[in-house]
């Protein structure tokens, strides 16, 4: 087992967790506006999957994408400043929490209409194939997306044209406040990939290594054979749909049961069992993440607002 | 100066795509029936044989899917031409155009350009009924981030499509089934018409008719008839709805003092309303009469041809509106003694 890799994954997940805790706090203080959808509890999916791809592979994600952005860019300052709506943010304050982009790191959003980005991800993969480039596109979405027409059209074209895209369904069991069994006729989202046809794998999304390995296999297969692949990651969000949602549609017992498989603790236990690091050393990593986030908050708070005269810029090229 | 030839509107569009595809390998054409079927309206006829299946791509009936694929491909540097069999079908992909194509550049603070053309016929053809007869430019022109282009002549069709393909923003390019066979002089080879520049298609001193696309021909017919009565109408063909060539409109209205907008689509919150607002605000002191508009009636399109003819703007309705603007109504019921006509 690669000790450095495990510690990197731990660091990355800790950064996501501490970042979002700080964001939630800033939101409750009225420093962040709009919607804030937290990924807390699901970190192993984004961190594991993105570590399983090459840094040159494309990422297309949803409005719950802080962790994906951080896993790819590591830039907590740009992310936090964007949530604060500051000119130093990832998009100069024009996008906000739901629309993070970093073209230079091939992080292609940040899309906030459920399912609308699925055909876009297929299109990015189409471009790779058209230009005979070897890049693969990762497309993240939730279980709720699997009921949208755009999801099916995107998968149908990816299957038809054999596009190098890996679809990663983050099945956190709830489409906003409605549980999966009330929104879908099948218990596993992944079986819907069969008809396109697309091979799939159902993964424990709370195990970062399992997530990483499954994604690596899927990405390399897509790269070699130009075939799409579908991963369903079973996971759970510990918080509400957004910070405005108290999550009363779930029992305390249910949330508690899932929190016992907190992906960061799962990895921490493994690291300790393998003797790679002690609990104290892991706390040290966590403290580093907290410090990086504190720095990001400080940076965001000190950053200027966007220039008022820039309000009409970038509508057209 | 390239020698003008007479070709059809359809051929002009095809020539624009072929020349651009020849020039730039990152351009491809995608849509329903564009390849093996040779185009639902034969606009892409022969392009598959010339450019192959890699660049002329038949799709399933999945507008959301292939519009989104085009957007994704454009985000990373390709230059897609996405054909909608008609713009009526684009409504199933409206989310892709409005939420994704129009907003990407702004949301991402200028990190991306989106060089993509969505094209196909729009508006009424003949007895196609409510779901296949819609002039939707007002819907698309409402959205910042989209450009909306509507040629009315074969030469403009070629020059504007070439310019649209070279543009780095998403362009909504609306043609017309009933204009595809229209013939006109079109320069061979390089011929570009810049986006956002209107063209005065007929000079006149008495009234300005602002129009675009198919309604240009309706307006020109009306202008002929008006000329016989000694009324000289100036006809301004917008060619591009967004960005709007406001200066061309104001310059003409300042000369004539009267403004009529002729628009195929529905009246409520339409492009005509926007133009009239701008004219009232910017050229108020030059106006001799309140601006008017001629549009479709405010109903879904009926199938019966006699009713369809009532819904659509006609030369007669344009003539009548111009006469109203000039206070020169022809009213046979009015007794001559009342002295209604000047």
């Amino acid at each position: 087992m690669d000790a450095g890799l495990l510690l990197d994954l731990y660091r990355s997940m800790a950064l996501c967790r501490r970042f979002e805790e700080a964001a939630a706090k800033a939101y409750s203080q009225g420093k962040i506006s709009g919607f804030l959808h937290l990924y807390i509890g699901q970190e192993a999916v984004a961190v594991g999957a993105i570590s399983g791809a090459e840094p040159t592979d494309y990422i297309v994600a949803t409005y719950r994408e802080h962790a994906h952005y951080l896993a790819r860019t590591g830039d907590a300052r740009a992310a936090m400043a964007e949530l604060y709506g500051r000119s130093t943010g990832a998009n100069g304050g024009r996008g906000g929490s739901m629309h993070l982009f970093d073209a230079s790191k091939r992080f292609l959003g940040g899309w906030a209409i459920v399912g609308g980005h699925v055909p876009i991800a297929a299109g990015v993969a189409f471009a790779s194939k058209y230009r005979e480039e070897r890049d693969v596109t990762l497309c993240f979405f939730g279980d709720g997306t699997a009921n949208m027409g755009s999801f099916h059209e995107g998968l149908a074209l990816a299957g038809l044209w054999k596009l190098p895209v890996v679809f990663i369904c983050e099945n956190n069991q709830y489409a906003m406040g409605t549980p999966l069994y009330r929104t879908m006729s099948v218990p596993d989202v992944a079986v819907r990939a069969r008809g396109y046809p697309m091979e799939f794998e159902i993964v424990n999304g709370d195990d970062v290594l399992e997530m990483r390995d499954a994604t690596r296999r899927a990405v390399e297969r897509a790269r070699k054979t130009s075939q799409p692949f579908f991963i369903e990651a079973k996971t759970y969000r510990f918080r509400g749909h957004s910070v405005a949602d108290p999550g009363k549609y779930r029992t305390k017992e249910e949330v508690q049961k899932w929190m016992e498989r907190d992906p960061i603790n799962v990895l921490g236990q493994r690291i300790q069992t393998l003797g790679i690091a002690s609990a104290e050393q892991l706390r040290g990593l966590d403290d580093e993440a907290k410090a990086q986030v504190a720095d990001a908050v400080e940076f965001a708070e000190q950053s200027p607002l966007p220039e008022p005269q820039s309000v009409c810029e970038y509508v057209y090229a | 100066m390239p020698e003008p030839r007479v070709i059809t509107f359809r051929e002009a569009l095809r020539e624009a795509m072929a020349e651009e595809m020849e020039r730039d390998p990152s351009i491809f054409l995608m849509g329903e029936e564009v390849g093996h079927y040779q185009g639902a309206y034969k606009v892409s006829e022969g392009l598959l044989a010339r450019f192959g299946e890699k660049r002329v791509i038949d799709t399933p009936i999945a507008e959301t899917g292939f519009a989104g694929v085009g957007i994704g491909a454009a985000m990373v540097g390709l230059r897609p031409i996405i054909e909608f069999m008609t713009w009526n079908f684009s409504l199933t992909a409206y989310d892709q155009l409005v939420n994704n194509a129009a907003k990407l550049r702004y949301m991402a603070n200028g990190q991306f350009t989106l060089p993509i053309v969505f094209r196909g016929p729009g508006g009424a053809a003949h007895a196609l009924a409510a779901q296949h007869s819609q002039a939707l430019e007002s819907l698309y022109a409402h959205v910042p981030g989209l450009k909306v282009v509507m040629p009315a002549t074969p030469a403009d069709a070629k020059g504007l499509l070439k310019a649209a393909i070279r543009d780095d923003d998403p362009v909504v390019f609306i043609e017309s089934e009933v204009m595809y066979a229209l013939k006109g002089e079109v320069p061979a080879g390089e011929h570009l018409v810049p986006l956002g520049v209107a063209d005065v298609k007929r000079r006149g001193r008495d009234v300005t008719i602002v129009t675009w696309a198919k309604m240009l021909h309706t307006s020109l017919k009306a202008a002929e008839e008006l000329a016989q009565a000694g009324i000289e109408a100036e006809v301004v063909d917008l060619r591009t709805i967004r960005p709007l060539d406001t200066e061309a409109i104001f310059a003409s209205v300042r000369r004539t003092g009267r403004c009529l907008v002729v628009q195929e689509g529905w009246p409520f919150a339409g492009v005509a309303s926007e133009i009239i607002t701008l004219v009232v605000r910017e050229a108020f002191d030059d106006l001799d009469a309140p601006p008017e508009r001629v549009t479709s009636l405010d109903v879904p399109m009926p199938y019966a041809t006699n009713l369809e003819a009532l819904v659509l703007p006609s030369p007669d309705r344009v003539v009548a509106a111009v006469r109203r603007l000039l206070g020169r109504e022809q009213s046979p019921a009015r007794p001559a003694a009342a002295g209604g006509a000047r």
Side-chain angles (χ1 to χ4, degrees):
Chain A
M1 191 61 72
D2 181 343
L5 169 68
L6 294 193
L7 294 174
D8 281 347
L9 292 170
Y10 190 89
R11 227 180 251 118
S12 187
M13 284 200 288
L15 177 65
C16 297
R17 177 72 56 91
R18 298 309 181 194
F19 178 92
E20 291 202 312
E21 287 170 350
K25 184 176 165 205
Y27 191 93
S28 69
Q29 294 168 335
K31 294 175 177 174
I32 291 176
S33 313
F35 292 137
L36 185 67
H37 306 93
L38 300 179
Y39 197 69
I40 288 175
Q42 303 180 211
E43 292 92 342
V45 180
V47 169
I50 290 169
S51 86
E54 296 298 323
T56 45
D57 290 327
Y58 295 101
I59 297 170
V60 183
T62 70
Y63 52 88
R64 195 185 299 284
E65 87 293 27
H66 306 142
H68 312 71
Y69 180 87
L70 291 171
R72 170 51 67 87
T73 71
D75 195 345
R77 281 185 163 196
M80 191 62 81
E82 188 62 29
L83 269 55
Y84 270 73
R86 302 302 166 105
S87 63
T88 53
N91 302 312
R94 277 174 156 72
S97 163
M98 299 186 284
H99 305 297
L100 298 173
F101 290 86
D102 186 341
S104 70
K105 302 270 173 60
R106 298 194 162 181
F107 188 83
L108 307 182
W111 300 91
I113 304 296
V114 168
H117 68 300
V118 176
I120 288 183
V124 174
F126 174 91
S128 296
K129 186 165 183 167
Y130 186 93
R131 289 192 289 229
E132 298 173 20
E133 292 167 349
R134 298 182 65 255
D135 307 307
V136 173
T137 299
L138 303 188
C139 178
F140 294 89
F141 52 88
D143 45 287
T145 300
N147 295 312
M148 282 293 287
S150 48
F151 165 86
H152 292 279
E153 293 193 23
L155 261 67
L157 293 180
L160 179 67
W161 292 333
K162 299 185 170 41
L163 303 177
V165 52
V166 177
F167 296 104
I168 301 174
C169 176
E170 309 175 315
N171 181 354
N172 65 17
Q173 327 286 333
Y174 286 84
M176 196 167 154
T178 307
L180 194 70
Y181 71 86
R182 286 177 53 211
T183 56
M184 275 183 76
S185 51
V186 286
D188 296 319
V189 179
V191 300
R192 293 194 165 175
R194 263 188 198 136
Y196 290 116
M198 209 174 288
E199 290 193 34
F200 65 86
E201 187 174 347
I202 297 173
V203 178
N204 173 6
D206 295 332
D207 183 329
V208 71
L209 289 173
E210 201 176 312
M211 212 43 236
R212 174 185 155 91
D213 290 344
T215 309
R216 251 156 67 112
R217 284 191 298 273
V219 165
E220 289 320 312
R221 183 174 174 281
R223 208 186 306 286
K224 279 202 190 81
T225 65
S226 190
Q227 292 281 355
F229 195 86
F230 194 102
I231 293 174
E232 177 179 359
K234 304 278 194 192
T235 183
Y236 199 81
R237 73 174 140 68
F238 295 172
R239 306 289 183 93
H241 168 70
S242 74
V243 292
D245 168 23
K248 287 181 177 165
Y249 42 84
R250 311 187 298 193
T251 64
K252 270 189 188 135
E253 292 71 30
E254 178 184 305
V255 178
Q256 193 53 45
K257 187 192 85 180
W258 281 91
M259 285 178 76
E260 280 162 19
R261 44 186 275 196
D262 182 325
I264 300 180
N265 290 345
V266 168
L267 179 63
Q269 288 300 328
R270 187 175 314 182
I271 287 171
Q272 291 177 65
T273 308
L274 291 168
I276 292 168
S278 66
E280 198 175 331
Q281 284 167 315
L282 292 179
R283 263 197 301 281
L285 294 183
D286 192 43
D287 288 342
E288 283 172 28
K290 281 182 185 161
Q292 189 182 347
V293 169
D295 164 78
V297 169
E298 172 77 9
F299 173 78
E301 291 186 351
Q302 301 298 320
S303 290
L305 296 170
E307 288 292 334
Q309 65 264 33
S310 76
V311 68
C312 290
E313 285 175 10
Y314 302 128
V315 179
Y316 296 103
Chain B
M1 185 77 187
E3 194 185 328
R5 308 148 300 147
V6 173
I7 59 174
T8 64
F9 197 103
R10 173 189 286 115
E11 289 163 338
L13 292 168
R14 184 188 307 145
E15 195 168 270
M17 290 194 284
E19 286 177 14
E20 292 305 296
M21 288 175 76
E22 207 66 71
R23 188 183 57 77
D24 182 350
S26 69
I27 300 168
F28 64 89
L29 172 65
M30 174 180 280
E32 293 155 10
E33 314 289 6
V34 298
H36 291 273
Y37 191 90
Q38 310 295 332
Y41 293 98
K42 303 291 174 260
V43 173
S44 58
E45 192 168 45
L47 294 184
L48 174 66
R50 189 158 164 192
F51 295 101
E53 284 188 329
K54 181 184 169 182
R55 298 181 66 196
V56 180
I57 302 150
D58 284 324
T59 68
I61 301 171
E63 278 81 6
T64 289
F66 65 78
V69 164
I71 293 166
M75 270 185 90
V76 293
L78 295 185
R79 306 185 80 88
I81 304 169
I82 301 296
E83 178 173 313
F84 290 124
M85 192 180 292
T86 91
W87 275 95
N88 296 288
F89 307 158
S90 78
L91 294 178
T92 68
Y94 201 49
D95 176 55
Q96 290 298 326
L97 275 81
V98 175
N99 274 315
N100 296 347
K103 293 178 177 57
L104 169 68
R105 182 171 175 78
Y106 193 83
M107 292 197 300
N109 206 32
Q111 292 186 67
F112 300 89
T113 54
L114 204 70
I116 183 168
V117 176
F118 299 97
R119 51 156 290 273
H126 189 60
L128 300 185
Q131 295 182 339
H132 285 70
S133 302
Q134 302 171 93
L136 297 172
E137 59 267 33
S138 295
L139 259 63
Y140 286 106
H142 188 60
V143 183
L146 298 179
K147 292 179 176 173
V148 179
V149 178
M150 297 186 72
T153 67
D156 285 346
K158 177 175 178 180
L160 287 166
L161 184 52
K162 284 170 73 87
I165 292 167
R166 293 185 196 187
D167 199 273
D168 279 336
D169 292 311
V171 177
V172 167
F173 194 95
I174 305 178
E175 304 151 10
S176 157
E177 289 103 315
V178 298
M179 284 199 296
Y180 281 143
L182 184 71
K183 287 183 176 168
E185 283 189 2
V186 178
E190 188 76 340
H191 167 62
L192 289 166
V193 174
L195 306 189
V197 181
D199 185 39
V200 176
K201 289 289 198 292
R202 181 188 174 106
R203 289 275 167 194
R205 60 174 191 275
D206 297 325
V207 60
T208 297
I209 301 176
V210 178
T211 192
W212 58 94
K214 203 160 72 213
M215 290 299 114
L216 170 69
H217 305 287
T218 304
S219 301
L220 288 173
K221 262 190 208 140
E224 285 292 322
E225 193 181 326
L226 288 162
Q228 285 167 21
I231 299 168
E232 290 300 331
E234 177 147 300
V235 181
V236 178
D237 175 8
L238 290 178
R239 303 197 289 193
T240 301
I241 309 300
R242 196 192 249 262
L244 187 63
D245 188 351
T246 51
E247 280 315 308
I249 299 169
F250 300 153
S252 177
V253 171
R254 286 186 186 120
R255 275 198 304 276
T256 64
R258 290 177 172 84
C259 178
L260 171 71
V261 185
V262 181
Q263 154 188 301
E264 180 179 337
W266 300 298
F268 195 95
V271 173
S273 324
E274 176 67 17
I275 292 169
I276 289 172
T277 300
L278 295 171
V279 165
V280 168
R281 196 185 68 195
E282 297 296 325
F284 189 79
D285 291 341
D286 298 292
L287 288 173
D288 296 323
E292 282 248 20
R293 63 182 176 180
V294 170
T295 69
S296 276
L297 302 185
D298 206 9
V299 295
M301 187 64 79
Y303 163 71
T305 50
N306 67 321
L307 297 182
E308 182 183 54
L310 286 175
V311 169
L312 289 169
S314 61
D316 285 351
R317 280 172 61 195
V318 175
V319 167
V322 167
R323 287 184 167 278
R324 276 197 303 278
L325 270 171
L326 289 159
R328 290 172 65 174
E329 293 97 328
Q330 280 182 317
S331 178
R334 186 175 294 175
R342 278 196 306 216

